[in-house]
Amino acid sequence: MTGKNATETLTADAAGVARAAEILRAGGLVALPTETVYGLAARADSDGAIARIYEAKGRPSFNPLIVHVADLAQAERLARFGPVARDLAEQHWPGPLTLVLPRRAEAKLAPAVSAGLPTVALRCPAHPAMRAVLEATGVPLAAPSANRSGYVSPTSAAHVLETLDGRIDAVLDGGPCLAGLESTIVAVREDGRVDELRPGPIIVAPRDFTARERRIEAPGQMASHYSPGKPVRLNALSFKKDEFAIGFGDMPADCNLSVSGDLKEAAALLYACLYEAARSAKPRIAIASVPDEGLGRAINDRLRRAATPPD
Ligand code: TXA
Ligand code: MG
């Protein structure tokens, strides 16, 4: 299935959704649009299908995957929801919030999905094409971001093909992703405490969180990630000639995250700017500073990782 075969591009219509579901049911890999980034989906109950995700991405096997569900009822068959988790799900699903919860022993999930952890990460996505595929497939779908491991997350079908063409069965083209940043991940503990593991588009009220040091608990949250493959300079006040300039606010730049300084617009454009910067002939990248508040926290989290050279 994966390997030398060409990757099909499907349109996000009834026929495309049906074809995507057919490939997924047979254990194949399809990149699907979500409201955050494109995900590389495979059925979460199949060891073979999950192994293909790790292989196609070159992802380390200790880094667990998010399982996407059609609704709360399907999620409750996979993990134990206490009142706090149920509340968060009812408030934010479908949407860009991932809940890390105790996994049910009887859950029909391939063990590799949660990489040996006793928990599982669950998300009910809002994107209509993704929802249609979940419905048509009838099983939960594991889906990490649809990029080679360590690279920038994709917000268009073209980005997906830049690193995975020929390595996956198909990509369903649903146009650009609206949020543009991966989901917020929170762990809900057995006693109801909530810990933020990854900042994202949903800002869960700070009073809901326990303060904790930045321990690397989401094993994918490594210092270097989202790498465009060139040196990245942050908080640039001015740009040099050999730098691809990524601006924020009213300033001249090769790519501007938001001329009006709007964080939502900046989040939606961030990865597209990084892909453009990676493709450009300029050997380095410089990025203007982005305020570290609200959605800006999630943007700066990704920028810091993009600027950290790989080991
Ligand atoms: O918006 C998103 O969340 C996208 C779309 C496709 O849904 N997905 C995504 O997946 O960002 P990925 O694989 O790139 O990031 C998943 C993160 C990783 O940092 C992983 O370590 C963490 O979730 N994770 C998964 N299962 C976990 C678990 N049981 N406990 C802690 N962290 C977990
Ligand atoms: Mg990722």
Side-chain angles (χ1 to χ4, degrees), residues 6 28 33 37 81 90 139 155 170 180 188 200 206 216 225 230 236 253-254 271 273:
V37 300
F81 280 69
E90 278 166 0
V139 292
T155 54
V188 185
I216 301 185
H225 209 121
K230 304 179 176 180
D254 295 305
Y271 293 146
C273 275

Side-chain angles (χ1 to χ4, degrees), residues 100-125:
V100 171
L101 299 169
R103 169 179 166 146
R104 285 188 191 280
E106 70 278 18
K108 286 202 195 89
L109 289 173
V113 162
S114 42
L117 297 172
T119 50
V120 60
L122 297 174
R123 168 161 121 76
C124 175

Side-chain angles (χ1 to χ4, degrees), residues 37-38 57 59 63 144-154 182 198 220-221 225-226 271:
V37 300
Y38 275 69
K57 282 186 58 99
R59 182 175 176 110
N63 189 0
S145 52
N147 52 277
R148 290 299 292 267
S149 187
Y151 200 69
V152 180
S153 300
E182 299 85 347
R198 178 174 75 184
Q221 296 305 97
H225 209 121
Y226 311 101
Y271 293 146

Side-chain angles (χ1 to χ4, degrees), residues 150-278:
Y151 200 69
V152 180
S153 300
T155 54
S156 73
H159 294 162
V160 173
L161 293 173
E162 274 195 41
T163 68
L164 294 178
D165 195 11
R167 305 180 66 85
I168 63 176
D169 297 297
V171 54
L172 185 70
D173 188 349
C177 303
L178 291 181
L181 282 184
E182 299 85 347
S183 60
T184 304
I185 305 181
V186 299
V188 185
R189 314 298 179 187
E190 303 266 19
D191 63 2
R193 276 182 313 131
V194 178
D195 287 327
E196 180 186 59
L197 304 184
R198 178 174 75 184
I202 290 198
I203 320 254
V204 180
R207 65 181 160 76
D208 293 348
F209 292 122
T210 52
R212 70 200 307 266
E213 332 112 63
R214 291 230 132 257
R215 214 154 44 85
I216 301 185
E217 172 167 338
Q221 296 305 97
M222 289 157 298
S224 175
H225 209 121
Y226 311 101
S227 166
K230 304 179 176 180
V232 176
R233 187 165 69 86
L234 300 181
N235 303 316
L237 296 171
S238 62
F239 301 111
K240 303 183 181 114
K241 274 208 178 61
D242 67 342
E243 288 176 330
F244 183 93
I246 299 183
F248 179 80
D250 192 9
M251 59 180 77
D254 295 305
C255 183
N256 203 309
L257 294 173
S258 172
V259 173
S260 66
D262 179 58
L263 289 170
K264 214 165 161 186
E265 185 184 18
L269 289 180
L270 176 64
Y271 293 146
C273 275
L274 288 176
Y275 271 88
E276 206 184 314

Side-chain angles (χ1 to χ4, degrees), residues 51-106:
R52 285 198 196 104
I53 290 186
Y54 284 96
E55 189 193 330
K57 282 186 58 99
R59 182 175 176 110
S61 60
F62 58 78
N63 189 0
L65 308 175
I66 295 175
V67 175
H68 297 70
V69 292
D71 51 34
L72 182 55
Q74 193 175 48
E76 297 216 38
R77 290 197 285 278
L78 305 177
R80 290 196 304 278
F81 280 69
V84 174
R86 198 165 295 119
D87 240 42
L88 285 169
E90 278 166 0
Q91 218 181 317
H92 298 290
W93 282 2
L97 179 70
T98 296
L99 299 174
V100 171
L101 299 169
R103 169 179 166 146
R104 285 188 191 280
E106 70 278 18

